[in-house]
Amino acid sequence: VELSCIIKSTVTPDPRIEWKKIRDGETSYVFFDNKMQGDFVTRAEILSRTSLMIKNTTRMDTATYRCEVAAPSDTKTIDEINIQLTVQ
């Protein structure tokens, strides 16, 4: 599955991008400090600098995924998008 987090424009040369997984009230990192975290290390990757590709999804991946972008040089310094993923 590919979860898209598209940055339309930014003047910040290298905005910070983080992906988080929120499930049952618990938040965990998926992509932090420019690398995959936890069990996503072996089955996920970042595409086009911002989108998250998760391979071999299972029902355990059902959650809300939050993409957070921090661009300190921009007018809007931080933004986020939540994507609900349901794996049948």
Side-chain angles (χ1 to χ4, degrees), residues 5 7 10-18 49-50 67-74 76-80:
C5 180
I7 300 172
T10 179
V11 296
T12 302
D14 192 20
R16 180 176 49 88
I17 302 190
E18 293 178 1
R49 200 176 78 154
T50 58
C67 173
E68 296 178 2
V69 179
S73 300
D74 289 52
K76 189 170 189 178
T77 59
I78 192 159
D79 206 356
E80 65 184 41

Side-chain angles (χ1 to χ4, degrees), residues 4-38:
S4 294
C5 180
I6 299 167
I7 300 172
K8 292 190 178 188
S9 65
T10 179
V11 296
T12 302
D14 192 20
R16 180 176 49 88
I17 302 190
E18 293 178 1
W19 278 93
K20 296 176 182 175
K21 177 181 176 181
I22 304 161
R23 181 182 168 117
D24 300 328
E26 299 285 320
T27 302
S28 59
Y29 282 108
V30 175
F31 182 75
F32 176 72
D33 200 22
N34 287 320
K35 58 185 175 267
M36 289 297 163
Q37 305 292 315

